[in-house]
Amino acid sequence: MHIPEGLLPPLHAAAWTAAAAPFVVHGVRSLTRRVRADPDAKLLIGAAGAFCFVLSALKIPSATGTSSHPAGVGLGSVLFRPPVMAVLGTVTLLFQALLLAHGGLSTLGANAFSLAVVGPWVAYGAFRLVRGLTGRLPEGTSLSLAVFTAAFSASLGTYTVTSLQLALAHPDPEGGVLGAFVKYATIFSVTQIPIAVIEGLVTVVAVRLLSSVNRGDLVRLGVLRAAAPPAPEGTAGREADTAGTAAAGGDEKKGEKA
């Protein structure tokens, strides 16, 4: 996914940078408001950023000098919504370009648009959809299915956009942009589908771990549903007494009629 330095023409690189910039600026504002409103969320925000950095640094060489790897944006998108993840993803890409020679500075905007903008929105949309469809299932099952789908979809969504970016920059001599897109998407899918499955499972494990050690924060963030409050003590007994009294009254009336 990390398009390396010089692979995109300058005009294309500038256009993708312009497309990604508004999302990142909006994300900075959202992140600032989030931290001010909930200072305790800093630790989870840092964990989401680190999760994205580590997973997206595990690169496997792929087509035309690019690489395949987990996207790592599913966790942050589920916890803090896509605008915040736009910032975390862009910072991740910047540090990887500077420290790991993974990606490039001129292609930072294109990489940010696919991984930090499209990926998180696809992840969040998939998460909300699956949560809605599985609302009647047990909470743990519903959450796991939604998180897996979010991470899996974000990974494939990221690479779909990357395929389009490369196709626009390097059209196929015979098939044009569409032919190039099919070629890039096919090549990426060979490695990305199994990677996306593994990423989905890893993200589920991460969310389950967080829910076991930090359940209150996940409920506050809206990831977990709040448990129904227990019935006050004595309520069940009073309901039973009421039912018994009503039954006795009914029997007395039957006796009187007889």
Side-chain angles (χ1 to χ4, degrees):
M1 194 290 307
H2 286 33
I3 300 176
E5 193 74 53
L7 190 56
L8 294 181
L11 184 60
H12 286 246
W16 288 114
T17 299
F23 293 94
V24 177
V25 171
H26 175 62
V28 171
R29 295 176 179 175
S30 298
L31 178 59
T32 302
R33 288 195 298 267
R34 167 77 69 174
V35 171
R36 287 177 179 174
D38 186 10
D40 294 337
K42 291 179 181 178
L43 185 60
L44 275 179
I45 292 173
F51 186 83
C52 178
F53 183 92
V54 172
L55 287 193
S56 60
L58 303 174
K59 60 181 181 177
I60 300 173
S62 190
T64 320
T66 60
S67 59
S68 295
H69 55 78
V73 298
L75 180 64
S77 304
V78 168
L79 294 178
F80 299 106
R81 312 296 186 266
V84 172
M85 201 60 226
V87 180
L88 299 181
T90 300
V91 172
T92 291
L93 290 167
L94 176 61
F95 276 104
Q96 288 177 347
L98 293 174
L99 302 178
L100 305 178
H102 193 185
L105 293 179
S106 68
T107 57
L108 178 62
N111 290 329
F113 188 85
S114 58
L115 184 138
V117 175
V118 173
W121 278 108
V122 171
Y124 185 68
F127 177 78
R128 299 312 307 175
L129 176 63
V130 175
R131 282 293 263 173
L133 294 175
T134 59
R136 295 186 178 182
L137 295 179
E139 175 68 358
T141 302
S142 173
L143 181 64
S144 295
L145 289 173
V147 169
F148 176 85
T149 306
F152 180 86
S153 301
S155 188
L156 293 187
T158 296
Y159 277 84
T160 299
V161 175
T162 300
S163 298
L164 177 61
Q165 291 171 329
L166 293 175
L168 290 172
H170 305 285
D172 186 79
E174 297 181 359
V177 172
L178 180 59
F181 173 77
V182 172
K183 179 182 69 176
Y184 286 122
T186 301
I187 294 173
F188 280 135
S189 66
V190 172
T191 53
Q192 198 58 32
I193 290 178
I195 290 174
V197 171
I198 295 172
E199 179 180 357
L201 296 175
V202 171
T203 308
V204 169
V205 171
V207 172
R208 282 186 172 272
L209 179 62
L210 288 175
S211 65
S212 65
V213 302
N214 213 357
R215 182 178 181 86
D217 285 344
L218 295 192
V219 172
R220 190 180 71 254
L221 292 171
V223 177
L224 282 172
R225 301 187 182 102
E233 294 184 3
T235 299
R238 288 196 299 271
E239 291 178 352
D241 292 342
T242 301
T245 302
D251 292 341
E252 290 176 359
K253 290 180 180 179
K254 291 179 181 179
E256 291 174 359
K257 290 181 179 180

